[in-house]
Amino acid sequence: MDNVVDVEKNFNSKLEKNDFVEPKDWMPENYRKHLIRQISQHAHSEIIGMLPEGNWISRAPSLRSKIVLLAKVQDEGGHGLYLYTAAETLGASRDELLGALHTGKAKYSSIFNYPTLTWADIGAVGWLVDGAAIMNQVMLQRTSYGPYSRAMIRICKEESFHQRQGYEIMCRLCFGTEEQKEMAQDALNRWWFPTMMMFGPPDKDSPNSEQAIKWRIKRETNDELRQKFVDRTVAQVEFLGLTIPDKNLKWNETKKGYDFSEPDWSEFYSVIKGNGPCNKERLEARNKAHSDGAWVREAAIAYAEKKKENILAA
Ligand code: BYC
């Protein structure tokens, strides 16, 4: 058997060479725990993220928009499944992970604790929230853990479609009537700062970033990604003829990027502690969906057992 020094050397050399760490490879216990935390939070975000958008499936303004939204929400469920499966390769069980979500022990993205009040919010979520998610996930395609990276490659392809779905809604509203444009501006006003919070606290207050970068789990920091997001989004806002609700937003020629205001971090910490506008509602809906779906899980297990019996009997 390889000794500890050898396996650790092998692990470090994989990181140096930008090779993937795979489930059967030796890895430090804290690397494994860090990944389970991040991947499972990500999976929870995907399935909780189905709720604010699912809220509008029955009220979408046309058959076309209903079909597109339905497809998007189903994709999010699929993303959750890839990610739970990736976390399972690290030895965490699905029941354990879902248990932590359902009891409120596990975190999921702060953004999904805000309500979707109008159809324009569905546009803003697709455009801004999926846009921010892609910004983060593009770097995660190059994360050091193989199963997470592969899940991300597929997820990113689907997220690009989601971002366009949102931007298309915003275009229709902004080039429609005056009232529609006002609705779009109102949605932008409410979603801008919560979207900025999605990237996590500033680097100086981010306890996990430094180690995550060393292990190449994260390839860019929270602040770097937030800056990239703002720089890319401003032109999209200008095209729509809308205004970003930040009076400090200004092009900075020296840094070749925009200066902008920090979100209210006390609001962020309050939301992730469970005190956002919709935390309670989201957890109740998730718990209900889980218990309502118990018969499906039981039926799937019974079917798999029967199939196994038939194979053994053949
Ligand atoms: N919300 O040290 P930090 C999506 C927590 S959804 C809640 O910087 P890290 C989508 C953080 O967990 C996108 N909690 O942490 C789905 C940590 O707490 P713990 C989801 C947050 O991990 C449907 C503490 O704050 N994407 O795609 O280095 C429809 C300190 O933070 C948040 C992912 O999950 C937050 N916003 O960096 C549409 C991507 N931010 O665990 C779209 C994968 C921070 O120590 N995750 N916290 O108790 C990541 O890249 C990183 O985990 C984060 C945070 C950038 C989110």
Side-chain angles (χ1 to χ4, degrees), residues 37-38 41-42 45-46 49 53 76 107-110 112 129-130 133 136-137 140 148 159 197-201 206-209 218 222 268 272:
R37 177 191 66 84
Q38 179 169 322
Q41 283 179 5
H42 195 164
S45 305
E46 297 285 353
E53 292 184 293
E76 311 296 0
K107 291 195 173 73
Y108 56 85
S109 184
S110 49
F112 301 118
V129 174
D130 285 85
N136 178 288
Q137 289 167 179
L140 291 174
Y148 192 23
E159 296 287 20
M197 294 174 193
M198 284 178 72
F199 298 98
S206 162
N208 301 302
S209 280
K218 275 162 80 159
N222 300 357
F268 167 80
I272 67 173

Side-chain angles (χ1 to χ4, degrees), residues 87-103:
E88 282 173 314
T89 65
L90 291 154
S93 78
R94 183 85 56 102
D95 281 349
E96 185 190 321
L97 299 176
L98 286 173
L101 172 65
H102 295 151
T103 52

Side-chain angles (χ1 to χ4, degrees), residues 41-71:
Q41 283 179 5
H42 195 164
H44 301 329
S45 305
E46 297 285 353
I47 62 167
I48 294 280
M50 297 168 80
L51 298 170
E53 292 184 293
N55 180 34
W56 278 88
I57 292 173
S58 60
R59 289 178 285 155
S62 68
L63 180 59
R64 179 181 178 274
S65 56
K66 190 192 288 278
I67 294 168
V68 177
L69 181 59
L70 194 58

Side-chain angles (χ1 to χ4, degrees), residues 26-277:
W26 181 90
M27 59 188 83
E29 187 54 17
N30 284 339
Y31 174 84
R32 195 180 69 81
K33 283 196 182 138
H34 189 118
L35 278 170
I36 293 176
R37 177 191 66 84
Q38 179 169 322
I39 300 174
S40 63
Q41 283 179 5
H42 195 164
H44 301 329
S45 305
E46 297 285 353
I47 62 167
I48 294 280
M50 297 168 80
L51 298 170
E53 292 184 293
N55 180 34
W56 278 88
I57 292 173
S58 60
R59 289 178 285 155
S62 68
L63 180 59
R64 179 181 178 274
S65 56
K66 190 192 288 278
I67 294 168
V68 177
L69 181 59
L70 194 58
K72 176 182 192 289
V73 173
Q74 280 178 338
D75 282 351
E76 311 296 0
H79 298 172
L81 289 180
Y82 313 151
L83 289 164
Y84 284 123
T85 310
E88 282 173 314
T89 65
L90 291 154
S93 78
R94 183 85 56 102
D95 281 349
E96 185 190 321
L97 299 176
L98 286 173
L101 172 65
H102 295 151
T103 52
K105 238 177 84 192
K107 291 195 173 73
Y108 56 85
S109 184
S110 49
I111 194 77
F112 301 118
N113 293 307
Y114 292 86
T116 41
L117 303 177
T118 71
W119 177 247
D121 288 24
I122 299 304
V125 168
W127 167 41
L128 298 174
V129 174
D130 285 85
I134 299 171
M135 194 57 78
N136 178 288
Q137 289 167 179
V138 162
M139 72 142 178
L140 291 174
Q141 293 180 114
R142 294 178 294 118
T143 192
S144 57
Y145 188 56
Y148 192 23
S149 159
R150 291 188 283 274
M152 278 301 126
I153 290 169
R154 175 145 182 194
I155 290 175
C156 279
K157 292 203 170 99
E158 294 174 352
E159 296 287 20
S160 318
F161 148 70
H162 296 174
Q163 198 266 356
R164 278 172 211 161
Q165 174 258 5
Y167 199 63
E168 186 195 49
I169 294 175
M170 294 306 275
C171 285
R172 278 180 177 253
L173 295 175
C174 291
F175 301 113
T177 65
E178 213 34 59
E179 276 127 325
Q180 284 174 316
K181 191 163 179 187
E182 273 168 28
M183 219 162 89
Q185 180 66 57
D186 172 60
L188 173 60
N189 292 348
R190 283 180 291 106
W191 288 91
W192 179 254
F193 283 109
T195 301
M196 304 272 278
M197 294 174 193
M198 284 178 72
F199 298 98
D203 294 351
K204 64 178 175 42
D205 302 320
S206 162
N208 301 302
S209 280
E210 195 184 338
Q211 188 59 58
I213 298 269
K214 278 190 191 145
W215 277 328
R216 304 201 176 187
I217 292 174
K218 275 162 80 159
R219 313 291 301 232
E220 288 170 85
T221 70
N222 300 357
D223 286 337
E224 285 165 354
L225 291 168
R226 199 172 1 257
Q227 178 73 53
K228 263 193 185 174
F229 173 77
V230 175
D231 292 345
R232 297 243 173 117
T233 310
V234 171
Q236 296 167 9
V237 176
E238 285 170 354
F239 178 78
L240 294 173
L242 298 179
T243 309
I244 292 179
D246 178 1
K247 52 182 180 346
N248 295 319
L249 187 92
K250 198 167 169 256
W251 177 254
N252 179 330
E253 188 55 32
T254 318
K255 75 171 183 189
K256 300 266 180 259
Y258 284 89
D259 288 332
F260 53 88
S261 305
E262 289 284 314
D264 175 356
W265 291 113
S266 63
E267 176 181 319
F268 167 80
Y269 288 112
S270 164
V271 171
I272 67 173
K273 275 194 197 113
N275 303 318

